[in-house]
Amino acid sequence: MVDNLRTIKMIWKSEPVVEGAGVKLKRAFGFHEIPLLDPFLLLDDFRSENPADYKAGFPWHPHRGIETITYVLEGDVEHGDSMGNRGDISSGDVQWMTAGSGIIHQEMPKGNHKGEMLGFQLWANLPAKSKMMNPRYREIKKQSIPLLSTDCGAKVRIICGEIQGIKGPVQDIVTHPEYLDIEIPAGKTFTHIVPKDYTVLAYVIDGEAYFDPARSPFSHEVMGINYFDMKPHCFCDNGNLVLYEKGGSKIMVTTDKHSVRFLLVTGKPLGEPIAWYGPIVMNTKEELRQAFQEYEDGSFVKHR
């Protein structure tokens, strides 16, 4: 029923930022958008065909209180952490890292033989009761991610979540998230059931589509446009982030003359206070102060 369909609350256009040791990337959302996307904190898009944009990488740095999810579509990312994990995240792979009580790691994008680097990193918050849990690292290889073909011709890679009885390889996550990579051919409509009280967002990485039945650019807010943008359109394309209103149990995405590929992420809101500075996200300023003090005195990592 149409009454169960979610409508768009807001759309963001990703914006260029420089992070790490000088990596040029696009940020879909971050610090200034919280808590609208609770339990999610940040989504970075590090796509480039120029190695100079990403070679500096993200040298050794700490995390506490969050999970970082790195999804690579092209190229390699070399990584290492304080638990002794080492390796490469390659094309189609996912690194799901639960920082918990504290982890120090590095991520160094290497690209592919053409110099291309294509990937995304999502930060998910942890509830207060889990912020000091033991760190956990999961390396998910491309071949372990199910690829589902739907009746409408869509292709869905299930990283986390379940569709038609098929579960993704990442399970037992405290915020009960869903993480899907979806491709819809031209001229098709894709529908998907979502929990009514969950945050639901979509990030377009190729092509274009209509993400709700209204098809009106004036039915929701759009952030990131300039003052002289005089051609509003109702479809969403590459680099657009869609945040849905809560309440409905289904989303509907429709393509016209072009196909679309997007990341669909859902999660249960925590509804807790957020104290965030740099790579550490806690609930109070005192917890932040303690974390940075421990990092300075060498007691930050509780589990090696």
Side-chain angles (χ1 to χ4, degrees):
M1 294 178 62
V2 174
D3 290 345
N4 290 328
L5 283 175
R6 289 207 184 195
T7 57
I8 295 173
K9 177 181 179 66
M10 189 176 295
I11 292 175
W12 284 271
K13 295 179 181 292
S14 58
E15 298 183 345
V17 297
V18 177
E19 273 292 1
V23 178
K24 295 179 181 178
L25 50 81
K26 287 188 175 181
R27 178 153 295 160
F29 65 90
F31 181 84
H32 297 292
E33 286 76 37
I34 61 170
L36 278 174
L37 296 107
D38 181 15
F40 304 109
L41 299 164
L42 174 147
L43 177 60
D44 281 347
D45 176 343
F46 53 95
R47 290 184 281 178
S48 177
E49 297 178 356
N50 180 7
D53 288 345
Y54 57 80
K55 280 291 188 179
F58 306 90
W60 295 99
H61 59 280
H63 284 295
R64 176 178 285 179
I66 65 171
E67 296 184 295
T68 65
I69 302 103
T70 306
Y71 182 29
V72 175
L73 295 186
E74 287 293 342
D76 294 311
V77 177
E78 184 181 277
H79 71 89
D81 65 41
S82 52
M83 293 191 294
N85 298 300
R86 298 287 187 277
D88 290 322
I89 315 169
S90 299
S91 301
D93 297 347
V94 174
Q95 180 198 76
W96 198 295
M97 189 190 77
T98 305
S101 62
I103 197 168
I104 299 174
H105 77 153
Q106 70 169 353
E107 297 156 307
M108 306 301 287
K110 302 298 182 184
N112 60 18
H113 67 283
K114 296 180 181 179
E116 300 168 326
M117 189 71 244
L118 170 54
F120 311 90
Q121 186 169 94
L122 174 71
W123 290 14
N125 203 5
L126 286 171
K129 64 181 182 180
S130 303
K131 283 194 177 293
M132 295 300 287
M133 68 184 286
N134 292 349
R136 183 169 57 180
Y137 170 85
R138 304 185 191 192
E139 182 176 302
I140 302 99
K141 293 299 184 182
K142 177 181 180 180
Q143 56 268 27
S144 69
I145 299 174
L147 176 60
L148 172 69
S149 296
T150 70
D151 293 340
C152 76
K155 294 181 179 179
V156 184
R157 291 169 178 83
I158 309 171
I159 297 167
C160 185
E162 179 178 349
I163 301 180
Q164 297 179 16
I166 301 175
K167 293 183 179 181
V170 181
Q171 300 176 25
D172 303 319
I173 303 298
V174 293
T175 51
H176 306 288
E178 182 177 55
Y179 195 140
L180 308 174
D181 175 357
I182 302 171
E183 297 179 72
I184 308 173
K188 300 293 182 179
T189 295
F190 171 84
T191 58
H192 181 64
I193 301 296
V194 295
K196 284 188 175 182
D197 58 341
Y198 277 34
T199 297
V200 179
L201 58 92
Y203 183 65
V204 183
I205 59 178
D206 191 37
E208 62 183 46
Y210 302 99
F211 280 78
D212 73 358
R215 298 196 180 190
S216 168
F218 305 109
S219 63
H220 51 260
E221 292 185 67
V222 180
M223 306 297 291
I225 61 174
N226 63 51
Y227 296 127
F228 293 93
D229 187 346
M230 298 302 295
K231 294 183 178 181
H233 50 74
C234 49
F235 60 81
C236 296
D237 56 11
N238 189 6
N240 283 182
L241 178 90
V242 176
L243 173 64
Y244 283 95
E245 295 277 10
K246 289 186 174 65
S249 60
K250 185 186 298 184
I251 65 162
M252 183 174 74
V253 182
T254 304
T255 55
D256 192 357
K257 296 179 181 179
H258 302 280
S259 61
V260 72
R261 185 174 185 179
F262 62 98
L263 306 177
L264 182 69
V265 182
T266 75
K268 184 177 182 179
L270 301 178
E272 296 179 349
I274 294 174
W276 180 358
Y277 190 89
I280 298 172
V281 184
M282 304 302 289
N283 295 105
T284 68
K285 291 181 180 179
E286 175 56 28
E287 290 170 336
L288 270 186
R289 186 202 63 76
Q290 180 180 345
F292 279 93
Q293 180 60 48
E294 290 178 359
Y295 185 65
E296 288 295 322
D297 66 26
S299 63
F300 181 81
V301 175
K302 311 299 182 185
H303 303 274
R304 294 186 182 274

